[in-house]
Amino acid sequence: MSRSKTLKLFLIDGEPSGRIKCSLANWTGIAYKIPRTSLDKCKDMDILKQSGVYFLFGTDKEDNAVVYIGQAGIRKNGKGLLLRVQEAHPSIDYWTETIMFTTSNNSFGPTEISYLENRFCNLAIQANRYVVKNGNDPNPGNITEETESELEEFIDYAKIVMGALGHKVFEPYVSLTPENEAEPLLFLEYSGAKAVGKRTSDGFVVLKGSKLNPQITKACPQRAIKDRKKYSELIDETYTLTADVLLSSPSAAASFIGGASLSGNFKWKDENGVSLGELEKMDK
């Protein structure tokens, strides 16, 4: 069972849209969320000259959320994280903000940051919320069992901090939590399409293996057409989803699956054939 946590957020510039420092009680890690436009304000922050791991967040030309995950060691000139973040990153088209992780006691060496970069990168790929723009799989390095245990604990805390700072980069669309387990699976069949979905705190997830209607009607909403284009790489030649897909609402999901203007409250039904609209009435 997850325990309650106390996070400390320090608004460096006095506003939530500015630079933010985040720490957790009983954790030596520290995270900094910094807009790209505010990097120049950080040149006198000695802690950002340390070793650490950083994330660059942005969007690509198709409006997909993207992330680049990198590491930074201390250079001969005494600079680390901040300098590395300010350098060019050809694999990511454009990014708007960075989140940097380091420690209060400057305890990260080359082996530690290599391991963290590798683990963070693979966790982000598995969660499949962001397009990970790293060109190669980072080298995990060689570490002892003791160090691995310590770093895995660091990662557990970093996941919490990352989510609190607004990026669910490590959280799959449908996670096996008590909250999500309480939500029933919902089913939709329409004109050859056959899908399984679930309500979540983020919206409505259509699960991997769902089959879409190959046809798109004239009445199909533009949003659904755009969603099909956005997720085209996750739709195989048989119009079957190869990964979970997050849509904004049950109706958006129904239209995406059916290729037509469909009511999610009417079309999505539980295993007993009860519509989502009826289920919501029962919950009231």
Side-chain angles (χ1 to χ4, degrees):
M1 180 181 295
S2 298
R3 295 181 180 276
S4 301
K5 301 288 190 300
T6 299
L7 276 84
K8 296 180 181 179
L9 296 179
F10 176 57
L11 307 183
I12 299 173
D13 302 312
E15 54 186 17
S17 59
R19 296 173 294 167
I20 298 175
K21 174 184 176 183
C22 184
S23 58
L24 266 169
N26 302 316
W27 184 48
T28 59
I30 304 175
Y32 287 86
K33 179 180 180 180
I34 301 173
R36 187 172 187 173
T37 53
S38 297
L39 288 175
D40 287 343
K41 298 179 182 179
C42 303
K43 58 185 178 181
D44 295 326
M45 296 175 64
D46 288 339
I47 196 166
L48 295 184
K49 297 176 183 177
Q50 297 183 168
S51 297
V53 180
Y54 63 92
F55 298 73
L56 307 180
F57 293 98
T59 54
D60 61 16
K61 296 175 182 178
E62 285 73 43
D63 203 31
N64 297 310
V66 300
V67 62
Y68 177 90
I69 303 166
Q71 60 165 287
I74 300 176
R75 313 283 182 90
K76 290 182 179 180
N77 59 8
K79 305 231 178 134
L81 273 168
L82 182 60
L83 179 62
R84 178 67 187 100
V85 166
Q86 290 177 311
E87 291 175 344
H89 292 81
S91 62
I92 184 169
D93 296 329
Y94 185 73
W95 58 274
T96 56
E97 69 180 19
T98 179
I99 293 180
M100 297 183 244
F101 285 94
T102 186
T103 60
S104 58
N105 57 2
N106 196 17
S107 59
F108 283 157
T111 303
E112 287 80 10
I113 58 176
S114 291
Y115 181 85
L116 290 174
E117 181 191 20
N118 174 272
R119 287 285 287 123
F120 283 141
C121 188
N122 282 289
L123 285 169
I125 291 171
Q126 291 166 17
N128 199 35
R129 280 183 180 262
Y130 290 69
V131 178
V132 179
K133 302 298 287 186
N134 292 60
N136 300 308
D137 187 18
N139 189 335
N142 295 313
I143 59 173
T144 65
E145 291 182 358
E146 294 85 354
T147 300
E148 180 178 358
S149 178
E150 292 173 1
L151 292 176
E152 286 297 324
E153 185 175 18
F154 184 94
I155 290 168
D156 289 340
Y157 281 113
K159 289 179 181 178
I160 296 169
V161 169
M162 184 66 82
L165 290 175
H167 291 286
K168 297 181 178 181
V169 65
F170 302 128
E171 300 177 27
Y173 289 134
V174 179
S175 57
L176 299 178
T177 63
E179 177 187 356
N180 282 330
E181 284 297 293
E183 280 292 330
L185 288 175
L186 298 170
F187 306 86
L188 180 149
E189 293 189 29
Y190 175 84
S191 190
K194 193 172 183 179
V196 183
K198 199 169 192 179
R199 291 182 295 180
T200 74
S201 59
D202 297 306
F204 194 96
V205 175
V206 180
L207 300 182
K208 175 182 177 181
S210 295
K211 187 175 178 62
L212 282 64
N213 178 11
Q215 306 300 320
I216 295 179
T217 69
K218 292 182 179 180
C220 184
Q222 286 300 311
R223 176 72 254 183
I225 295 173
K226 186 176 180 180
D227 285 335
R228 283 206 176 192
K229 182 178 179 181
K230 177 180 179 180
Y231 294 117
S232 60
E233 293 184 357
L234 303 181
I235 304 171
D236 69 14
E237 64 277 3
T238 66
Y239 283 84
T240 300
L241 288 179
T242 59
D244 297 344
V245 168
L246 176 67
L247 285 307
S248 59
S249 68
S251 290
S255 298
F256 169 78
I257 290 294
S261 180
L262 301 176
S263 166
N265 283 342
F266 178 72
K267 286 295 183 181
W268 289 106
K269 298 177 181 180
D270 70 5
E271 60 183 358
N272 298 314
V274 181
S275 70
L276 176 57
E278 291 298 319
L279 290 172
E280 290 183 339
K281 288 179 182 178
M282 296 176 189
D283 291 339
K284 295 179 180 179

